[in-house]
Amino acid sequence: MAGKKPAKVSRDDYERELLRQQTELVRLQEWVRSEGARLVVVFEGRDAAGKGGTIKRVTEHLNPRVARIAALPTPTERERTQWYFQRYVEHLPAAGEIVLFDRSWYNRAGVEHVMGFCTEKEYQLFLRQCPVFERMLLEDGILLRKYWFSVSDAEQQERFRRRLEDPVRRWKLSPMDLESITRWEAYSRAKDEMMVHTDTAEAPWYVVESDDKRRARLNMIAHLLASVPYHEVPPPVLELPERPPSTGYERPPRDLRTYVPDHAASL
């Protein structure tokens, strides 16, 4: 029925399909490494939209020497005087690498613009230069995928509440996040304007409905896998060698070393 929410994905179905997708992600990784490809995946969206959790599932079984996360902090005073895209360029992948941007150069089109951290001139320059910048990446052979995680205001509010009450996730909530609640419409307008200028034929945006986190993760990963023309790379043939016989080595007495206490024994 039109407008009806799809049923939530069960945990069993989610975990089974996620494991299958993560296995495919490993195959994608090996293709990237063997072919010397360069893959950039941009994760954008509102605060608490589910970007971080999805990135965690994407990279969970990947080699950190091949697939790395770029989550840049607030720019330094020196970086503020550079060409805006400059500090992102140094995080782009070399041959055989995957880089996942947990927020990216699109900070200027969102947070910086809405919160007044950049001037109107800088904002308009970004909107003009961004499509050109991304076209340059593509022309140089980089594979670029851009995902916008879309969350409703009610779901965002609930996720903020859970973070506030959860001591292990409290760090995820910042004053800037809370400020975004009062600027919901301003962020909506900024996103719409960003899409007008940067949703191009060469580098389109792909919107991920993320009120249901499990569905969002599966949908995003499935799309990424389907959008890259990878193939399985035969693994090298490895054989476990026989352990050689002892040559008389004796382990030093245990009391010569300092061991961590057995906390697990107290459980």
Side-chain angles (χ1 to χ4, degrees):
M1 185 181 299
K4 185 178 180 180
K5 286 186 177 181
K8 283 188 174 292
V9 179
S10 71
R11 178 171 293 277
D12 287 346
D13 288 343
Y14 166 71
E15 292 181 350
R16 181 170 53 252
E17 175 59 10
L18 179 62
L19 180 58
R20 187 195 70 79
Q21 290 183 343
Q22 290 175 327
T23 303
E24 286 300 316
L25 285 168
V26 172
R27 294 190 177 105
L28 169 63
Q29 167 193 265
E30 293 309 296
W31 174 84
V32 166
R33 181 161 58 178
S34 68
E35 295 293 322
R38 293 171 291 164
L39 175 60
V40 170
V41 187
V42 168
F43 292 79
E44 289 288 348
R46 294 182 186 271
D47 298 314
K51 302 179 296 297
T54 304
I55 291 171
K56 186 181 296 183
R57 273 65 182 186
V58 170
T59 59
E60 187 173 5
H61 298 291
L62 300 185
N63 183 343
R65 293 184 177 87
V66 176
R68 54 189 169 83
I69 302 168
L72 276 60
T74 303
T76 64
E77 289 299 323
R78 180 175 182 274
E79 287 172 333
R80 289 191 180 98
T81 68
Q82 297 174 342
W83 177 48
Y84 176 71
F85 296 94
Q86 187 170 335
R87 76 187 192 117
Y88 295 99
V89 168
E90 65 178 289
H91 294 276
L92 293 174
E97 293 180 350
I98 302 169
V99 175
L100 297 89
F101 279 93
D102 186 356
R103 295 200 180 275
S104 65
W105 45 89
Y106 283 100
N107 274 337
R108 175 136 297 177
V111 173
E112 290 191 15
H113 172 58
V114 173
M115 300 301 295
F117 296 155
C118 67
T119 66
E120 182 64 21
K121 181 179 179 181
E122 290 171 331
Y123 170 67
Q124 293 297 333
L125 181 62
F126 170 83
L127 293 179
R128 292 197 302 273
Q129 288 188 341
C130 184
V132 179
F133 171 68
E134 292 179 350
R135 191 174 303 119
M136 291 171 65
L137 300 184
L138 294 167
E139 288 177 349
D140 201 58
I142 288 177
L143 300 171
L144 175 63
R145 301 293 181 270
K146 304 187 303 189
Y147 293 98
W148 177 270
F149 283 71
S150 178
V151 65
S152 65
D153 53 353
E155 180 62 23
Q156 184 194 53
Q157 187 89 1
E158 176 59 20
R159 290 178 186 179
F160 281 165
R161 184 193 63 77
R162 291 199 297 266
R163 287 182 180 183
L164 191 62
E165 297 172 355
D166 188 342
V168 300
R169 294 192 295 171
R170 177 63 179 79
W171 64 270
K172 292 185 175 183
L173 198 60
S174 70
M176 193 76 66
D177 296 331
L178 301 180
E179 180 74 17
S180 69
I181 296 176
T182 63
R183 299 180 185 238
W184 179 270
E185 290 192 0
Y187 274 105
S188 295
R189 295 188 184 96
K191 183 262 292 182
D192 293 343
E193 186 71 9
M194 176 194 78
M195 292 286 187
V196 167
H197 289 84
T198 64
D199 186 17
T200 63
E202 302 99 327
W205 277 104
Y206 298 103
V207 178
V208 181
E209 295 286 356
S210 61
D211 274 12
D212 182 339
K213 288 184 178 182
R214 294 176 188 170
R215 185 179 298 274
R217 292 165 186 168
L218 297 180
N219 289 345
M220 179 268 150
I221 298 173
H223 182 274
L224 175 63
L225 291 169
S227 72
V228 178
Y230 74 99
H231 56 79
E232 186 165 7
V233 176
V237 177
L238 301 175
E239 292 185 5
L240 191 65
E242 294 291 333
R243 188 172 297 277
S246 172
T247 58
Y249 169 78
E250 293 185 8
R251 186 176 181 176
R254 288 179 61 88
D255 57 9
L256 294 181
R257 301 289 180 263
T258 303
Y259 290 83
V260 299
D262 189 3
H263 169 76
S266 66
L267 301 179

